[in-house]
Amino acid sequence: MTMPDERARALRFAGEILREMRSRKDLPEDLKQQARMTLRHYPDPADLQQMIKDLDRMPRDFLDQHWLAPEVRTSLGRPAPVSSK
């Protein structure tokens, strides 16, 4: 079962991958173009954080589950490392 903070992390990671793909010199232009097109409608990090805050303020009965949550932070203030399952 995917937890809400894991969904948020996956969205963040996907955005990071798309932004990296867009700027790589060693990728075919068609892949870079697809990354650019996808990023036009993809939430940037600030939008993602706002989505998490907005969902957290909604009544629990509005959604059948808490869909997104802030990422769990380590004592250093960084997101916790992703386990390799």
Side-chain angles (χ1 to χ4, degrees), residues 22-39:
R22 175 184 61 184
S23 62
R24 296 274 302 257
K25 304 270 190 249
D26 60 337
L27 289 178
E29 191 56 41
D30 62 327
L31 286 179
K32 294 194 302 187
Q33 180 64 23
Q34 285 181 320
R36 277 191 289 277
M37 288 172 45
T38 302
L39 282 168

Side-chain angles (χ1 to χ4, degrees), residues 41-59:
H41 308 289
Y42 201 87
D44 62 31
D47 290 336
L48 182 57
Q49 289 302 316
Q50 189 60 51
M51 288 168 50
I52 292 167
K53 288 178 187 175
D54 291 347
L55 282 173
D56 198 40
R57 290 188 204 118
M58 289 183 182

